[in-house]
Structures are given as C-alpha cells and as structure tokens.
Amino acid sequence: MSEQPLVTVTIDGTQVQVPKGTWLVEAAKQIQREIPVYCYHRKMGPAGLCRICLVEIEGMPKLQIACNTAVTDGMVVHTQSDKASDGRRAVLELYLVNHPLDCPICDKGGECDLQDYAMAYGQGYSRSVDPKVSKPKAVDLGPTIVLDEERCVVCQRCVRFDDMIVGERELVLKDRGVRNIIATANGEPYRHNYTGNVTELCPVGALTSKTYRFKSRPWDLRRTETTCTQCPVGCQMHVDVRVGVVQRTMSVENDDAISDGWLCDRGRYNVGFYDAPERITQPMYKRDGGWVQIGWDDALDLWATAIREACAVNPASVGVVGGGRLTNEETFVLQHLFRAKGVANLDWRAGRQRQASPGRNAGSLVDLESCSAILLVGESPAERAPVMDLRIRKAALQKGAKVVRIASAERAYPAPIPSTDVATVAEAIKTVPKEAKRIAIVWDGCDGELATSLLERLPADAEILTYISGEQPNARGAEAMGMLPFGKPGYVKVESGLGAAEMFAAASDGKLAVLSIFGANPALYRADFAPASFTVVSDLFMSETAQLADLVLPAKGPFEKTGTTTNMTGDVLPVNAAHSLETPADALSDLEMIVALAEKLGVELPGAEEVDAAVIRHLAKPPEDFTLGDARFGFEAREKKKRGKETSFEVVVQTRIFAGGGTSAHDARIAELCPLPAAAISPEDAAEIGVSTGDYVDLVPLDRGADGALLGVLRQAQDDNPNHNVGRDLLVEVREGMPRGVVALIGGLPDSPANLFDGANVSVTNIRQTAEDPAETVGAPA
C-alpha cells in the first residue's frame, strides 16, 4: 500500500508534518499535546460520541471534534484556546450532572480520565438542583468484571472493542437517553478470552476487575515492565505490586509489534499463584513413600551424586526434560552443563508439540494483518496464543482476509468473522483466493505430515509466511539454545540422543537412572510418562509430575527472575523481576539451581556476559535449512483410525487457556474461569446416541489394536485411583461443525486428565440427562 503524502498543520503555534488523513487527535501527539478523549481509541478509530475533544480550527465557525477531523494542508488548530476550554467545560458539566461523587471509594481514583479532565476543564460546582438519576451499582457482569452503571459515561469503548477487535459482540448498549446502560446482548455472563481489556479501555470507574477491586491506589503500586510468559506470544505487560503481592497486570499501550496493546485474560488475571499457600517453599525429598523437607545443600548433594554415579557407568542413562518455560539464559546453561557431562538426552518437548521454530519463511505478528489468506492447521491459536488470534480476527474483520481451518473440531469463530472449515488440505487449497499474494500458515507444531502437505501445495508465486503457535512460552528459545536431542545451540546437528518420549520409555523399562525435569509437567499431558530410578523436578507446585519424583525443588516464577525469552516469531524479549515482590526465602531460579549443581559436579560454566552473547548469537538469525514439519523433529505419523462401530469415537484433545495443573490450578482468584471436564460431539452423533448439551456422560476406552498399550496405561491409572478417571462425569457440548466420530476433550485438567486419552478410541456410556438431579445420579458432579 502506497504511503500517504505529508501535509503541514499548525497546532498551538507549532508546525508539524503528518500523513494526509491523520486524525487531528493523533497529529497533536506529535508535539506532545494531549487532547482529552473518552470514546476515541487509536486501535478502534473515531466514534464522535463524547464531544470532549473539542478544538478551535481557524476558518470554521464552530468548535470541531479532534477525533473525527482529518488534518488538511495549512490547517491551523488551537487546542487550548478559551473557546475550546469553554466548550469542554460545558460538556463536562453535562457528564457530571448524574455522575456519582464516589471518587474516594472508586477503583479508578487516581487514574480516572473524568477526574483529570474535571480538574483541568471543569467549573468546580454544579448548577443542577435535581437529584441524580439512580442506576444499578456493583453489577456482576461476568466472572471477571463488575459494572457500576451510575459511573458509565456511555463512551461505548467496551461495546466497540467487543465488536471491532474481538468480534464477539457480547456487550451492547440498552435503553435510551439518560437510562442508557451497558449489558450483555443475551443476558448471559460476559465471558470470552479478552474481557479484561474493557477495564483498561473504560475511562472511568464503570468497569472494574473483580481481582483488583478495593486492593490499592495507583500511587501505592510499584510498577515493572516485563514479558508475559503464559503463552508463546510474549505480550509486554506492566506488573503492579503492593506490600509484596502482585495486585494486577496491565497492557503496554505502545506494544504494537507484539500484543497490539491488548492482553488475554490468562495473562491479565493468572497472577494470584505467587502467594498461594500450596506453593513449594523448601526442597522436598521422598523417603519411605513420604515427603520430608531438606536443605538445599542436602538436595544438591543427592542430585549431583545421582548424576555423577549414573554418568560414570553410562551417560546415556541420564536425561533432561524442560526449557520451554525457562529463560533463554537458563536453557543455554542447562544444556551446557549436561552436555559437559556427556549427556545427549535433552528435550524441551514435554507435551504433544514436536516443533517450535518454523525455520525459513517465518513471519512477524504484524505481517499477519496483511495476509490475504490465513490457514490454520491443527489447533488454532484461539486458546494456545489468544492475542495472536486477535491479529487473525483483525485481518478478517478489518482487512477482509480469508480464514480457513483445516480438520478442526474447535468451536466456530464468532459470526462476524468470516471463516471456513474444511476437512482436508485439498479442500483448503481450493478455498484460497486466486489473487492471494501473501498467505499465512499457522500450525500447532503437532502433525508434521499435514503441515508439509499444505506447504507443498500452495501457489508457488505467493509469499508464504509460517507460524507455530505452541504449548510453551519459550519453546522456540529452547530449540535455539540446544534443548533438542539432535541439535546443539543454533540448531547445530549432533549425534542424536533420546527425545522425551524415548526417555520415558527407557524409564519405564528401568534403563534411565536419572531424569531431571525443569518447569514441565509431562505426567499431566502424556500417557507414556514414567519416572526414572531417581527423578528430580523443579517447579512452583507439587504437580502431577512432582508427585512421582524423588526430589522436588522450589522454583521462582517468571515475575521473580530476570532474563530473556523468545516468542513464537523469534523476538527476544525481556523478563524482569517485579519490584518489591516477596519470594519464598528458599525458592531459587532455575539458573541458580543449575549453577549450584554445576559447582557440585565440578563443571565450569560460561560467565554471564558469555551467556548473553551466546543467546544473542544463536537467536540473531533464524534457521534457513528447514521449514514446517521437518523430519529431524521426529514426527510420528498418526493413523486415521477406522471407526469400529457407530458408538465409538476417536478422542481429540484441545487446549483451553485456563486449563493446566500449574499456575491456573493454584490461583483461587480465577477458579471460576477454569473449564469443567467436557466432551464435545457433533449434532449428528448427539442425535444418534441421544444426548444433548448439558447432559453428563462417561467415556470408556476400547480394546482395539493400536490402543492396546495406551489402554493398559489408562486402565492401570483407573485401578490406582478410580476417582481420577478422565472418562467420568463429562459435561456434554453439542458443537456445530464437529466432524462425525470424534469427541473433543479439554486437556490439562488435573482432575480429569484427558490428554492421556489423545488418539484413543472410546465409547460413550452412563448417559445422564439434564433433567436428572446430579446429586441423585451415581458419579455425577454435585
């Protein structure tokens, strides 16, 4: 797209050149002149509703609104004239006629635009003698938001965000005139993955976060800018701490290249785990089947002795899993230490994802917005990388991009977003517009054959951009730092060691003496996980994997340490420890653990400057010798299983941002956001077996050929703990667009580990209809 020519405009006596068509409110920012706004937001454009942005333009008889007035060459504007100030004063008087005077108890106090503008332009008294109009207060709008209708100035930022940015269209304006209120369109709770953004968009105290209500004033907070590590997007965020506790996180407005100024609800709200009472605060050692607390010296001695003795016999009996949730620096030092001991069994891939680096043709997040077609392969980023998904929605809503999902069992996009679901690669190719010159592939990193097939069949004359939306925040950094069995830092090929799956198999056969796991929970996500003879886990909580370990080490969280992380598009981003955040006294960062272990093992590690230089060197240039689905990543072909009988289903495991056995499971403030165990099936299958949305069912694995090994694991797990059954008490969702013969389960739920069923054939049993009282139904949740 050609650039707009520059025009010259004079604002408050200062000349400035800006592109033709620039809104006056944006042009004024070039000379550090802030024009007051309520309804306008630079990501949503002008609305012209609030009228507070009045300015005086020479040659025009009346005041004009700066948000919806484009600059023209030679325009002369006065933003601070008496006429403009009088206009704003009149507008503010009308806003304050019915606005409650509850600033001392309002959560927006100290950072409220209405407060600021009233001080700057208000007249300081009211001429109204009528009582203020009463409206509902403390309205429970949904699991994250409380609404105070009396404070609302009807700027409609929240409504426009839900329409223009997210496309959900849940929030609407109801009633008329002075009785205007914000509400949900269908009367249901306001709920999607981006609801928290409206609390920042709200210029007053009408929309407030439940987790931050009555917690602090902004001047009491210590603010740190860092990178969100809940997913691989790497959104920049502000972390606000008071009295040693994280009170809230906020978006970074100018983070255009990464987050576009937004946060998902997982990144915004999942911060209450830092002071959770279940957090591990001291090394734990399993003795005689029970846990005992020990000191760090003893823990390091046990760990180092086990590694030293195993390496003396055979370094191939030692393995390391982790890195996808560590910093780049921690991952580099981790692989350096174990490779120095001759260990080649290194892998970050603790879950289903096999590849994180797209190699050549890798695109940036901003590039997504200019693509004519976006093809989603495997799981979409809607739950894996939510803020990336906003880029896809933006391309579809605002730029007309064609969004195609291949073999998807996920919920459909909201109606305003034009998207197409197809079953095969061949069908996807047919849907790509012939005139498309830039095409994006967004892959989940799991089915290599599917990604390769698509890549090979796209038009040769089109520019192809590739993306991998993965399971772990620093997966790409872990690969570049050498946490792969076949590659050292910089993807340098070496003689391959064992990958994670092979390590677990070796452990199951008694051939793995020591297994060290850093920031990963494979026991929740893999049916093939088995602990080694001596297993060490570094984590914040006693996860499913930690419970099977012999030694558990208390780790610091991402807000408690400093380093860098690499997001899904290769951007190297800072991770900064939050100011004044209180950390458990005996918790160490993974880097501190690795350094202490190296000292015990007598391995000399590179210095801090050398590590920093290595990180930059290995991440500076993306690899060009491979692309999506490269064979070196060891993809296992998944056979398309033939449906045995009409009542059998193949399990597909899907991600939800608030599922997981780690931080989300130990954050009481967001318990309402965590999903319930559910099973989604197609309307055709639902009619066939006689179930409806809201019913409860059980799933039972079938004895069928390739499922035998998995079946044994599942049945053994059920025998060990009958109440910890993935197939019990599942809430039915009849989902439009689902393929027949498939049941979609939510992965990462500690009380219902559906991941263990991934790819298995199951039958549906023990159907309990919605009308039945769950309390009277055996096995149904209360």
Side-chain angles (χ1 to χ4, degrees), residues 108-236:
K108 202 74 171 184
E111 51 189 6
C112 172
D113 289 342
L114 187 60
Q115 267 188 338
D116 294 342
Y117 299 157
M119 291 294 293
Y121 308 107
Q123 60 190 17
Y125 61 91
S126 173
R127 294 182 291 171
S128 174
V129 296
D130 296 322
K132 295 180 183 290
V133 174
S134 297
K135 291 183 180 181
K137 298 183 75 69
V139 177
D140 190 343
L141 196 63
T144 62
I145 308 293
V146 174
L147 169 64
D148 188 316
E149 296 283 11
E150 286 187 349
R151 297 174 186 163
C152 179
V153 294
V154 200
C155 68
Q156 297 191 46
R157 277 187 180 182
C158 56
V159 175
R160 296 174 70 224
F161 169 80
D162 238 40
D163 178 22
M164 300 172 63
I165 304 300
V166 184
E168 297 283 351
R169 294 186 175 176
E170 288 192 27
L171 291 183
V172 295
L173 193 65
K174 290 188 176 181
D175 223 321
R176 301 185 65 183
V178 75
R179 297 294 178 184
N180 273 157
I181 62 169
I182 300 297
T184 55
N186 56 7
E188 295 294 319
Y190 180 46
R191 185 167 192 157
H192 55 67
N193 286 343
Y194 313 97
T195 60
N197 289 287
V198 301
T199 64
E200 284 196 63
L201 288 170
C202 184
V204 292
L207 294 166
T208 55
S209 292
K210 287 184 177 180
T211 58
Y212 183 66
R213 279 171 64 81
F214 312 124
K215 290 293 180 66
S216 179
R217 286 302 187 195
W219 51 80
D220 291 326
L221 298 170
R222 296 290 302 277
R223 172 161 287 190
T224 306
E225 185 173 332
T226 188
T227 299
C228 177
T229 56
Q230 295 284 4
C231 86
V233 175
C235 302
Q236 298 302 284

Side-chain angles (χ1 to χ4, degrees), residues 59-75:
M60 292 188 178
K62 295 183 179 181
L63 296 175
Q64 302 296 313
I65 53 173
C67 73
N68 206 12
T69 301
V71 298
T72 59
D73 197 39
M75 178 182 283

Side-chain angles (χ1 to χ4, degrees), residues 533-588:
S533 301
F534 188 81
T535 300
V536 183
V537 171
S538 157
D539 212 324
L540 281 75
F541 300 98
M542 192 61 74
S543 66
E544 288 69 22
T545 304
Q547 292 173 30
L548 300 174
D550 300 282
L551 180 62
V552 181
L553 306 175
K556 289 182 178 179
F559 292 171
E560 297 169 328
K561 60 186 179 182
T562 299
T564 62
T565 187
T566 308
N567 74 350
M568 60 188 299
T569 53
D571 300 290
V572 182
L573 305 167
V575 176
N576 298 315
H579 294 304
S580 72
L581 176 61
E582 291 182 1
T583 302
D586 284 325
L588 297 181

